[in-house]
Amino acid sequence: MKSTWLALKREAELAAEHLAIGVTALGKANYAQQAYYYQAFFALSIGLERAAKLALVIDYVLENKGAYPSNKEIRDYGHNLKELLDRVDQIAERRGLSGTENRLPRSEIHVEIIEILSDFATNVTRYYNLDFVTGNPLTAQRTDPIQAWYVKVTLPILNKYYKPHYMRQQEQKAKLIEQLIGKSTLVLFHDETGNTLNSVYEASIQATITKIAIRYTRMYVLQIIRFIARTLCELGNIAYTERLEDIPYLNDIFGIFNNSDEYFKNRKNWSIYKL
């Protein structure tokens, strides 16, 4: 077994499992468990960056008859996810991949997801909390990543997929819960935008918002992941055809992400080791 093959296999598994961890954590995130948001941001930003760079390396190998780019070329790619994903989309186009599922999705919600994760990956918001308490003046020009995600991703998805009458039903349920246990329950939380939640009704509504939006939030994130996974699988198939034995069979690693939107909405726990 070649050491290069093993290194690329490990890198592919690292990227894919981080993506799986990120999607799983995102499904658990809510106002009362906000660390899951950060876990999702860390894992997704790392997974997307490593997967994109893996695609760029393999494409380079295919274009240069088995030769690899220099270490400096890899480092020069940087951490900007927007630029990295655009480069992978260029590879997909050049390799003849077409159709919405094979290309980088670019709806307004997808763009916001990539923007938020790219800011996190490039350290613009990764240390927002410490920057804020230590008086970094740049925090005045930046938005907390959880707040940005809630305002630019969660709420637009809610507005797009859930009708007003459904939300009114949830409000009625929250009022009923408030009537039943409100007087005997102490509530003190903060929502994703930093506002205080101090009633059972407010907490119930906030929990409902993230709970009903998560299926589509997960779908949008996984649509981005599916694009890069399909590009990597195509590059792996080409490498296999051209007998480049350094390149592992990437379908085995990224195949879990080659699924339908309906599957994305319904599967909660993700791992490349538990298909």
Side-chain angles (χ1 to χ4, degrees):
M1 180 184 296
K2 290 187 176 181
S3 56
T4 303
W5 181 92
L6 182 59
L8 289 174
K9 178 178 180 293
R10 287 172 172 171
E11 185 67 17
E13 290 183 350
L14 181 158
E17 187 63 13
H18 268 75
L19 293 170
I21 290 169
V23 172
T24 302
L26 188 61
K28 300 176 181 179
N30 59 72
Y31 75 87
Q33 298 172 305
Q34 295 193 16
Y36 283 124
Y37 282 110
Y38 291 112
Q39 186 180 23
F41 298 158
F42 271 107
L44 289 172
S45 60
I46 291 170
L48 287 172
E49 178 183 333
R50 303 295 281 257
K53 289 181 176 177
L54 182 65
L56 291 169
V57 167
I58 295 175
D59 181 67
Y60 184 99
V61 172
L62 293 172
E63 291 292 296
N64 292 273
K65 300 179 180 180
Y68 284 81
S70 68
N71 185 259
K72 182 179 183 304
E73 287 176 282
I74 295 299
R75 292 185 178 277
D76 286 346
Y77 289 145
H79 306 286
N80 189 311
L81 296 183
K82 292 183 292 184
E83 293 182 1
L84 286 168
L85 291 173
D86 279 339
R87 289 191 179 198
V88 177
D89 198 32
Q90 292 168 13
I91 292 173
E93 181 179 24
R94 178 160 40 82
R95 296 291 177 184
L97 294 175
S98 60
T100 56
E101 295 184 358
N102 293 320
R103 302 297 299 278
L104 179 63
R106 297 180 184 271
S107 75
E108 186 174 342
I109 293 174
H110 291 110
V111 169
E112 293 293 354
I113 289 170
I114 295 170
E115 180 84 28
I116 293 167
L117 293 177
S118 190
D119 282 348
F120 201 83
T122 55
N123 285 339
V124 172
T125 58
R126 181 174 292 196
Y127 297 100
Y128 179 88
N129 298 314
L130 293 178
D131 286 342
F132 181 84
V133 300
T134 55
N136 186 334
L138 292 177
T139 56
Q141 306 167 23
R142 298 169 179 169
T143 304
D144 168 76
I146 293 179
Q147 179 180 347
W149 188 271
Y150 182 77
V151 172
K152 297 180 178 180
V153 179
T154 302
L155 290 183
I157 284 175
L158 191 74
N159 292 333
K160 181 174 181 178
Y161 291 101
Y162 292 95
K163 304 302 181 183
H165 75 272
Y166 182 84
M167 289 306 301
R168 286 194 293 270
Q169 291 175 359
Q170 301 307 311
E171 289 169 0
Q172 291 299 319
K173 290 181 181 179
K175 288 178 181 178
L176 179 59
I177 295 172
E178 172 73 29
Q179 292 172 2
L180 291 172
I181 65 172
K183 292 182 179 179
S184 60
T185 305
L186 176 64
V187 175
L188 183 57
F189 285 101
H190 292 87
D191 68 13
E192 285 85 347
T193 64
N195 294 321
T196 303
L197 302 174
N198 53 22
S199 73
V200 171
Y201 173 79
E202 291 174 334
S204 297
I205 288 296
Q206 197 63 27
T208 298
I209 287 173
T210 51
K211 182 178 180 180
I212 65 178
I214 187 56
R215 295 177 70 243
Y216 287 92
T217 305
R218 180 167 53 234
M219 180 190 76
Y220 274 85
V221 172
L222 280 162
Q223 286 172 342
I224 298 170
I225 295 172
R226 178 173 60 197
F227 143 72
I228 198 167
R230 287 191 172 189
T231 303
L232 278 164
C233 289
E234 176 64 17
L235 292 172
N237 291 338
I238 296 170
Y240 178 81
T241 301
E242 297 185 4
R243 300 184 180 276
L244 294 174
E245 297 180 357
D246 283 352
I247 311 300
Y249 190 62
L250 296 174
N251 287 279
D252 289 343
I253 300 170
F254 289 94
I256 188 175
F257 303 119
N258 186 18
N259 272 294
S260 68
D261 288 350
E262 196 65 27
Y263 186 83
F264 290 161
K265 285 188 288 185
N266 292 320
R267 179 165 181 168
K268 296 179 180 180
N269 297 306
W270 291 76
S271 173
I272 63 170
Y273 301 118
K274 296 178 182 179
L275 302 178

